[in-house]
């Protein structure tokens, strides 16, 4: 691997202000490949963590990716880039999501 290459690929998830359909989510892989916008459920804002960090991460991921198309985009990105650096970006207009760990 060349020294300028990173062993990780950036996977960005952007969550926007809620709509009647839920929270719009956009996924971008390596700043180039964009997946179609889909929606996370409104229940995402009501999620509260427990005491087990690993279980919390699983529950949060499962809720965030409960939409089948979002789950497919995640799986496709995972297959293309097994080592990902995940960046979660929350819209300023969705302050109720800012409490997510």
């Amino acid at each position: 691997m060349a020294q300028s290459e990173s062993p990780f690929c950036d996977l960005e998830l952007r969550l926007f202000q809620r709509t009647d359909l839920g929270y719009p989510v956009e996924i971008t892989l390596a700043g180039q490949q964009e997946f179609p916008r889909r929606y996370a459920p409104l229940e995402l804002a009501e999620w509260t963590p427990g005491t087990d960090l690993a279980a919390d991460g699983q529950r949060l991921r499962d809720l965030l990716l409960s939409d089948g198309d979002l789950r497919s985009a995640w799986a496709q990105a995972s297959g293309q880039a097994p080592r990902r650096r995940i960046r979660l970006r929350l819209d300023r207009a969705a302050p109720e999501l800012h409490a997510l760990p």
Side-chain angles (χ1 to χ4, degrees), residues 16-25 37-44 63-64 66-67 70:
F16 297 93
Q17 182 178 15
R18 75 182 278 166
T19 69
D20 291 339
L21 297 174
Y23 290 97
V25 179
R37 177 182 274 201
R38 299 302 297 173
Y39 295 87
L42 295 173
E43 294 81 18
L44 184 63
L63 184 59
L64 181 61
S66 60
D67 177 271
L70 279 174

Side-chain angles (χ1 to χ4, degrees), residues 59-70:
R59 284 182 37 234
L60 185 57
R61 184 201 67 200
D62 291 346
L63 184 59
L64 181 61
L65 300 176
S66 60
D67 177 271
D69 290 331
L70 279 174

Side-chain angles (χ1 to χ4, degrees), residues 4-43:
S4 63
E5 292 177 344
S6 171
F8 292 95
C9 187
D10 287 333
L11 179 66
E12 184 174 281
L13 286 91
R14 292 178 306 283
L15 279 79
F16 297 93
Q17 182 178 15
R18 75 182 278 166
T19 69
D20 291 339
L21 297 174
Y23 290 97
V25 179
E26 293 178 353
I27 297 176
T28 304
L29 180 64
Q32 298 175 353
Q33 183 177 4
E34 293 187 10
F35 296 88
R37 177 182 274 201
R38 299 302 297 173
Y39 295 87
L42 295 173
E43 294 81 18

Side-chain angles (χ1 to χ4, degrees), residues 45-65:
E46 299 167 10
W47 184 82
T48 55
T51 57
D52 182 339
L53 294 179
D56 286 347
Q58 289 280 338
R59 284 182 37 234
L60 185 57
R61 184 201 67 200
D62 291 346
L63 184 59
L64 181 61
L65 300 176

